[in-house]
Amino acid sequence: MNRNNSERLFAEAQKHIPGGVNSPVRAFKSVGGNPLFIKHAKGAYLYDEDGNRYIDYINSWGPMIMGHTYGPVVEAIRSAAEKSSSFGAPTELEVHMAEVIKEMAPNIDLVRMVNSGTEACMSAVRLARGYTGRNRIIKFEGCYHGHADAFLVSAGSGVATLGIQSVPGVPGHVAQDTLTAPYNNIEAVKSLIEKYPNEIAALIIEPVAGNMGCILPEPGFLAQIRSLCTRNGIVLIFDEVMTGFRLARGGAQELFAINADLVTYGKIIGGGLPVGAFGGKREIMEKIAPLGNVYQAGTLSGNPIAMAAGYQMLTTLKNHPEIFADLDKRTHTLADGIHDVLEQKGIPHTINRLGSMMSVHFGKDKVTDFDSAKKCDNQMFNKFFHHMLNEGVYLPPSAFESWFISHSISEADVHATVEAVRKF
Ligand SMILES: *Cc1c(COP(=O)(O)O)cnc(C)c1O
């Protein structure tokens, strides 16, 4: 497979952009080799600058749930752009956007739009601190909530991929307010709460973790978290930046029948444009400026092109719940197919999956938290990744990332992917 143009562009990019990329995991640093430069995409497929075609299992890290160039979203963007790309004043579309979010996640009373998942999580934590008058937060090892200072403690995603232990630039006094517990370990959460009574403002969690590979909450884990937070006056924040509108119409909240106090969104909510949102209980949300003094703002928040794209995407998902069943079925077939082939080959592995999120870890042991994810054979993953890439299958270039299946991926694509694994 000829990748000359990607190689040339990466050499050029490194002269001007740190590491040649605008977000670290894109650089292929942990798997080795050169990243692909993408020219365009359609449906299930990416096309690189050398004209090679790949089945896309990243889907922009989640947003492209319908696949690329989904007609209604493209049309919405085009027609919004003609009316100006920004006003910095309220628009009718923002009202509709808030309404559709509330219809999909009915426990949300008020919602504010921002420009990324990072901003959503950062703002939700500030709000929880302002509301409770407490400073500490609990997060889980290997969970990723964006790159705000408070979250870069035992973080997943690129921080895990690059093996960064502690992030220079995050002040110690900020990091010390972030308490961490292993995912799926309720006892660890209990002891943190006992150790710091009346000091914990919020507990933030990915209800299904997707930034250390895909890791499912064990039965009852989220419900226990919910009741611990309620009993101790801790604001429960579900970070649904990844799971929101991917696992079900109402996201993980609906799937697990648990209401968080605040919820953050990103990725799918913008239909591929830079959008995030946080929302929740009226009593808490009313503390935000201009109603309250917890300040939060954004020049481009609620941007009309982004709202047009996001609204169209959410409306599609709201009106077509069968999409979630289709995605589940297709991903199930994929996971089973890969499992069978790896088993025939005698390669020890774990495939964790929920709906259209999944990941493949190599090793004998179950993967239930960050420690078990880190113990997997990542050399094997790197070989697997490059093998699949050469077969025209674009997987996340890290074992610490989830795969995302789009609605454009067909049975035939799944079959081709499984056949590619057979050649590994
Ligand atoms: C991607 C992600 C974020 C950060 O979103 P950005 O838009 O990259 O800032 C936060 N939380 C989770 C769970 C994510 O997957």
Side-chain angles (χ1 to χ4, degrees):
M1 202 178 260
N2 174 358
R3 301 218 183 96
N4 296 341
N5 287 337
S6 281
E7 278 167 30
R8 178 180 53 77
L9 285 165
F10 190 48
E12 201 60 30
Q14 285 169 286
K15 292 185 201 159
H16 311 296
I17 305 169
V21 291
N22 282 312
S23 195
V25 180
R26 294 179 199 170
F28 282 23
K29 197 167 167 187
S30 79
V31 291
N34 275 296
L36 304 180
F37 277 63
I38 305 303
K39 190 161 198 171
H40 64 103
K42 185 147 188 67
Y45 308 116
L46 290 178
Y47 298 85
D48 69 11
E49 288 282 354
D50 294 283
N52 303 308
R53 192 192 88 167
Y54 304 87
I55 305 173
D56 186 9
Y57 287 104
I58 300 183
N59 282 292
S60 188
W61 306 95
M64 315 309 283
I65 190 168
M66 298 305 291
H68 295 277
T69 60
Y70 176 58
V73 170
V74 173
E75 206 30 65
I77 291 172
R78 185 175 289 135
S79 89
E82 281 170 0
K83 298 179 191 145
S84 179
S85 45
S86 189
F87 313 113
T91 58
E92 182 177 352
L93 198 50
E94 289 166 271
V95 181
H96 296 318
M97 186 71 174
E99 282 169 347
V100 74
I101 294 168
K102 288 178 56 172
E103 280 163 26
M104 293 172 87
N107 64 315
I108 290 180
D109 299 320
L110 295 170
V111 59
R112 176 153 290 174
M113 304 308 301
V114 293
N115 306 289
S116 68
T118 297
E119 253 191 272
C121 295
M122 179 186 93
S123 308
V125 163
R126 180 183 305 137
L127 175 59
R129 285 172 163 161
Y131 172 75
T132 56
R134 303 172 178 180
N135 284 335
R136 297 190 196 270
I137 62 167
I138 296 177
K139 80 174 276 291
F140 292 88
E141 293 163 8
C143 280
Y144 181 71
H145 306 291
H147 65 89
D149 286 354
F151 302 131
L152 296 179
V153 180
S154 301
S157 190
V159 188
T161 301
L162 297 172
I164 297 171
Q165 300 296 331
S166 83
V167 178
V170 174
H173 69 269
V174 172
Q176 98 192 4
D177 281 336
T178 302
L179 311 169
T180 61
Y183 201 79
N184 277 324
N185 186 336
I186 199 70
E187 291 309 318
V189 177
K190 279 186 196 156
S191 49
L192 287 175
I193 294 174
E194 276 162 27
K195 190 165 171 201
Y196 299 101
N198 303 314
E199 288 186 52
I200 298 164
L203 180 151
I204 185 165
I205 184 167
E206 291 178 64
V208 175
N211 285 291
M212 42 182 159
C214 176
I215 293 182
L216 276 57
E218 277 163 10
F221 179 60
L222 295 173
Q224 284 175 295
I225 296 256
R226 173 65 276 181
S227 73
L228 278 175
C229 286
T230 305
R231 268 187 278 143
N232 293 282
I234 297 168
V235 175
L236 175 58
I237 306 173
F238 267 14
D239 178 352
E240 294 229 44
V241 171
M242 201 178 263
T243 54
F245 316 122
R246 171 167 288 278
L247 294 182
R249 263 200 304 200
Q253 289 199 110
E254 177 188 308
L255 203 62
F256 296 102
I258 291 176
N259 285 347
D261 301 312
L262 293 177
V263 190
T264 61
Y265 297 108
K267 301 197 167 107
I268 287 174
I269 204 175
L273 272 76
V275 180
F278 65 104
K281 281 190 180 154
R282 178 177 301 277
E283 184 190 339
I284 306 176
M285 290 298 290
E286 279 181 346
K287 301 288 179 211
I288 300 172
L291 291 176
N293 288 340
V294 178
Y295 198 70
Q296 187 281 326
T299 301
L300 292 172
S301 294
N303 171 271
I305 300 179
M307 291 304 100
Y311 178 75
Q312 198 49 247
M313 181 62 85
L314 294 190
T315 306
T316 297
L317 296 172
K318 180 171 80 92
N319 294 339
H320 297 279
E322 72 278 9
I323 289 171
F324 299 101
D326 292 348
L327 285 169
D328 181 63
K329 187 162 158 258
R330 191 120 316 146
T331 313
H332 186 136
T333 309
L334 176 69
D336 275 3
I338 294 178
H339 170 73
D340 288 347
V341 171
L342 290 176
E343 192 147 273
Q344 282 160 22
K345 288 175 174 289
I347 299 175
H349 64 279
T350 298
I351 299 181
N352 288 339
R353 179 186 82 86
L354 191 63
S356 57
M357 284 169 69
M358 67 174 265
S359 61
V360 177
H361 286 102
F362 294 105
K364 287 194 167 61
D365 299 327
K366 276 181 32 172
V367 180
T368 56
D369 60 12
F370 195 31
D371 269 347
S372 44
K374 281 197 287 199
K375 284 196 195 109
C376 292
D377 185 349
N378 289 333
Q379 291 297 95
M380 177 78 99
F381 180 86
N382 296 349
K383 280 189 214 147
F384 180 68
F385 167 81
H386 281 292
H387 165 80
M388 295 301 281
L389 196 65
N390 288 331
E391 294 291 325
V393 179
Y394 190 69
L395 302 177
S398 163
F400 296 108
E401 302 286 354
S402 177
W403 308 11
F404 299 104
I405 283 65
S406 81
H407 199 247
S408 293
I409 290 177
S410 65
E411 284 282 343
D413 295 322
V414 165
H415 182 73
T417 305
V418 172
E419 288 313 301
V421 176
R422 204 180 299 281
K423 295 191 208 154
F424 177 50

